[in-house]
Amino acid sequence: MKNRLYFTSNHPKAQAHALKAIQKEQKEIGYYTLPDQDITPILEYAEKIPDSVESIAIIGIGGSSLGAKAIYEFVKPVNDLKRRLYLFESTDPIDINATLKEIDLGKTHFIVISKSGTTVETFAIYKYVYSLHPDTSSYTFVTDPDSPLDKYAQEINANVLYVPQNVGGRFSVLSPVGLFPLVLCGIDIGTLLAGAQRVKESFFEQGYMQEPLLKKAVFYAKHHAQYNINCIFAYSESLKYFCEWYVQLWGESLGKHQRHSAFHVGLTPIGLIGPKDQHSFLQLLTDGTRDKSITFIKIENFEEGMIIPDISLPHLESLDILNSISFDTLINMQCDSVIESLEQEGDIPIDSITLPKVDAYTIGSLIYYYELLTSLVAELMDVNAYDQPGVENGKIILKKKLQKTKC
C-alpha cells in the first residue's frame, strides 16, 4: 500500500502533537490493539457452525454491518467463498421481504449485532425474523458484556460474542463484529488482521506510513474550514461498500462540537467510484467550488488478464487506440489521467493510495489506515472521535413516539 501526496504540508510541531496524542490514547481506545488479538476463540466457535448452513445473515446497522459488508464485497469477486453474506440493515419492509426471499431460514445462521444491546432498528428486524424462525441455535449475538442483549441471550441459552472494551461500533470491524461473519463466509481473517498489523507497525514504529499519514491529517485539520468536503474516488467497483464504511467513520467521528470551543466542525465525506463517476461528479470537482479534497484509490494489479480485442470497427477507427490494452492498464490510466487533470488546476488537494491487489490483506491495511487517519484528524481538529452525541436526541425522540403508540 502506497500513499502519495500531491499537496504540500509541512507542520512538524502539529505532526509531533498528533503522533504523541494517539500514542497516548492507545492505552484507552481499544481498536488500536485489534490487529494483535488472539482469534483462536473465534475460529473454534466458527467450526461449530454446521456445514448444512449455507448463508450468513447480519442483523445490524451502521458500525454493526458496514465494515463486514465492505470487506466481504471487496474480496468476493476474486474468491470462491464458502457461504454468502446477507444483511438486514434497514427497517424498509420491501428490503426486509426481498432479503428473506433470497435465503432459506433453516439453512441460515443469523448474527444479531448491537453494541448497546438496545438498537431499535436491529430488534425490530430480529423480532420479525425470530417470529418466522424461533430456533435459538440459528442465532449468535454480538454485544457489550452485561448489555440488555447479553442478558437476553443468556436467558435463552444462546451463544454470545463480545465487543472488546473501548471499541466503538464504527471502529469495530476488526473485532468479532466483523471477524465472525467474515470467517463463516470463508474469508481468511488472520490475513485480514495481518494487513492491519502491517500498517500499525509502519506507523507506530517509524515506518514508511507515518510521514504521509501525519502530513495528510495535519493538512485536513488546518484547512477544514476551506476544504470541508473530503472525497474518496476509488477506481474499482469492489470498493463501493468500503466507501459506505468510510462515510460513516468520517462523518460520525469528525462532525462534532470542538472540545474547547463552541464551534461546529467536520469534514463531509463523499464516496465516488471511477471511472463511472468521471461522467458525473468530476465536473463538480474540476470547475466547482474549491471546498473539496480528493483521495484517489487504485489497484495496481487486478490479476484478471483481460485484454481489449484487436478489432477495428467501421466508423469507429479512432478507438483502435484501445486495441490490445489490458483492462487493468486502462482503468489505472483513467485514474492517472484524472489525477493529472486535477493537479493541473493547482488549487485542489489531491493524494493517491495504490493498493497492490484485491485480497484480505489489502483491505485490512486500508481499513486500519483510515481508522488511524480519522483519529489523527480528530485530535488535530479538537474533537472526540469516539462519541456520537448528535445522533442520540433522534433516538430519544423516536422512543417517545413509539411509547405514544402504546397509549
Side-chain angles (χ1 to χ4, degrees):
M1 178 176 171
K2 303 171 185 175
N3 189 195
R4 178 184 175 187
L5 309 184
Y6 293 81
F7 54 81
T8 301
S9 179
N10 188 24
H11 301 278
K13 289 185 179 179
Q15 290 173 209
H17 164 76
L19 177 60
K20 184 177 180 180
I22 68 166
Q23 285 173 330
K24 180 180 179 181
E25 77 174 21
Q26 284 188 87
K27 300 174 184 178
E28 301 174 358
I29 304 301
Y31 89 83
Y32 288 103
T33 64
L34 292 179
D36 310 305
Q37 69 186 284
D38 178 11
I39 59 173
T40 303
I42 297 175
L43 295 174
E44 290 179 345
Y45 177 45
E47 287 295 319
K48 297 178 181 179
I49 303 301
D51 290 338
S52 59
V53 170
E54 297 177 352
S55 304
I56 305 302
I58 292 175
I59 301 176
I61 193 169
S64 298
S65 63
L66 287 173
K69 183 179 182 180
I71 294 169
Y72 173 81
E73 294 292 345
F74 183 74
V75 303
K76 181 181 70 172
V78 296
N79 285 271
D80 184 17
L81 296 179
K82 183 178 180 180
R83 299 182 177 104
R84 185 172 177 182
L85 180 66
Y86 295 86
L87 293 108
F88 292 90
E89 51 185 346
S90 172
T91 50
D92 177 348
I94 295 175
D95 181 70
I96 294 169
N97 193 43
T99 305
L100 284 170
K101 288 179 179 178
E102 292 188 45
I103 62 176
D104 181 334
L105 292 174
K107 296 181 179 180
T108 300
H109 192 81
F110 295 90
I111 305 173
V112 183
I113 306 174
S114 171
K115 179 176 169 59
S116 67
T118 58
T119 309
V120 168
E121 298 87 348
T122 300
F123 289 101
I125 299 167
Y126 168 67
K127 285 186 176 188
Y128 188 77
V129 174
Y130 184 71
S131 72
L132 301 175
H133 186 65
D135 179 2
T136 57
S137 68
S138 295
Y139 298 86
T140 295
F141 300 92
V142 183
T143 187
D144 276 346
D146 297 321
S147 74
L149 177 55
D150 182 26
K151 294 174 182 177
Y152 165 77
Q154 303 293 346
E155 178 75 18
I156 65 171
N157 295 315
N159 290 304
V160 187
L161 297 174
Y162 295 112
V163 182
Q165 187 176 14
N166 296 325
V167 175
R170 59 188 173 276
F171 289 86
S172 67
V173 59
L174 299 179
S175 78
V177 170
L179 297 183
F180 182 59
L182 292 171
V183 75
L184 289 181
C185 291
I187 292 172
D188 186 341
I189 61 173
T191 299
L192 177 73
L193 292 178
Q197 181 67 33
R198 178 71 183 107
V199 172
K200 179 181 178 181
E201 291 174 354
S202 295
F203 183 83
F204 287 107
E205 297 177 15
Q206 307 295 317
Y208 73 93
M209 194 61 72
Q210 186 177 105
E211 183 177 359
L213 256 172
L214 286 170
K215 286 187 173 182
K216 187 172 171 179
V218 170
F219 184 91
Y220 286 170
K222 285 190 172 293
H223 298 88
H224 73 268
Q226 179 180 359
Y227 299 109
N228 62 337
I229 300 172
N230 181 250
C231 306
I232 284 181
F233 213 144
Y235 274 70
S236 174
E237 292 291 329
S238 64
L239 287 164
K240 177 181 178 180
Y241 295 101
F242 170 81
C243 287
E244 288 190 3
W245 173 83
Y246 142 81
V247 165
Q248 189 210 9
L249 179 73
W250 209 244
E252 203 167 42
S253 298
L254 301 180
K256 304 284 173 68
H257 283 285
Q258 288 181 310
R259 288 189 182 103
H260 300 103
S261 80
F263 289 111
H264 299 269
V265 296
L267 292 170
T268 301
I270 294 175
L272 306 169
I273 297 294
K276 64 185 182 184
D277 283 327
Q278 289 180 200
H279 300 271
S280 58
F281 211 87
L282 180 57
Q283 175 61 40
L284 179 62
L285 296 177
T286 303
D287 288 339
T289 307
R290 294 305 198 245
D291 56 359
K292 292 169 278 291
S293 58
I294 310 157
T295 296
F296 289 87
I297 304 179
K298 61 181 182 177
I299 296 169
E300 189 170 11
N301 187 356
F302 287 83
E303 300 185 335
E304 287 293 335
M306 293 174 60
I307 305 295
I308 300 168
D310 187 6
I311 298 173
S312 187
L313 305 173
H315 310 291
L316 297 171
E317 288 84 0
S318 65
L319 295 174
D320 287 354
I321 57 175
L322 293 169
N323 291 359
S324 303
I325 299 291
S326 72
F327 279 96
D328 296 45
T329 299
L330 176 59
I331 195 169
N332 284 327
M333 287 178 67
Q334 290 172 297
C335 180
D336 292 342
S337 297
V338 173
I339 290 173
E340 186 174 336
S341 72
L342 293 179
E343 188 182 11
Q344 289 175 359
E345 294 293 319
D347 57 355
I348 302 174
I350 303 166
D351 73 293
S352 65
I353 295 173
T354 303
L355 306 177
K357 59 181 180 178
V358 177
D359 62 8
Y361 185 94
T362 295
I363 193 65
S365 299
L366 188 62
I367 290 280
Y368 201 78
Y369 169 96
Y370 262 91
E371 290 177 337
L372 278 178
L373 179 61
T374 302
S375 295
L376 287 165
V377 175
E379 176 60 34
L380 290 161
M381 288 176 62
D382 192 30
V383 300
N384 181 354
Y386 310 108
D387 64 2
Q388 51 278 337
V391 303
E392 297 305 320
N393 194 39
K395 294 178 181 180
I396 293 170
I397 292 171
L398 173 60
K399 289 183 178 179
K400 288 181 179 178
K401 289 180 180 295
L402 290 169
Q403 288 169 354
K404 286 182 180 180
T405 67
K406 302 301 179 183
C407 296

